Amino acid sequence: MADHYDLSLARASWKDADAPDGTPVEIKAAMHEHADGQPGTFKIYREYHEQLQAEGGVYVFAAYRIRGRGIEVLAHDRRRAARLPTVRWHGGGEHRGTQQAKIALSDIL
């Protein structure tokens, strides 16, 4: 996705990359369907999302499936952090010290 969107990888705690114009970008990928048949979800973290939103950042979302020894990207899109569907924040992000939310692939792609 970095090559497709011409991103420079940043590897900060709250963003993965920067667009050519300096816009911060968080890249989110999810399997389109898990082994148990459940649909995939994108997981975002509140603290990082709020910082990305405050900085005028965007997300790059990608849905993929396992194909042989690699992956196949099925769909992708770029969306402003301020333009996400309504999310419900909940616990579960303790390892990152912040709340998290899950967004259905169908709500984004």
Side-chain angles (χ1 to χ4, degrees):
M1 293 291 80
D3 288 341
H4 181 81
Y5 289 98
D6 194 26
L7 304 175
S8 299
L9 297 179
R11 303 292 186 210
S13 62
W14 62 279
K15 66 178 181 175
D16 293 317
D18 292 297
D21 66 359
T23 300
V25 180
E26 176 73 350
I27 301 169
K28 293 294 181 182
M31 287 185 65
H32 81 290
E33 183 177 274
H34 296 286
D36 64 1
Q38 292 295 312
T41 57
F42 297 111
K43 189 182 297 187
I44 62 172
Y45 295 93
R46 188 174 199 162
E47 182 179 328
Y48 305 147
H49 171 72
E50 288 173 353
Q51 185 169 359
L52 190 68
Q53 191 172 5
E55 298 285 333
V58 299
Y59 286 96
V60 169
F61 293 100
Y64 68 91
R65 70 177 170 189
I66 302 298
R67 184 113 174 153
R69 293 179 183 234
I71 64 165
E72 175 186 8
V73 175
L74 302 172
H76 57 86
D77 196 14
R78 179 179 161 140
R79 186 177 291 210
R80 291 225 159 267
R83 297 281 208 177
L84 293 187
T86 302
V87 298
R88 292 187 208 197
W89 299 108
H90 59 85
E94 290 83 14
H95 69 288
R96 298 208 185 205
T98 186
Q99 292 179 306
Q100 68 177 358
K102 294 180 182 178
I103 304 171
L105 273 63
S106 61
D107 289 344
I108 297 290
L109 303 174

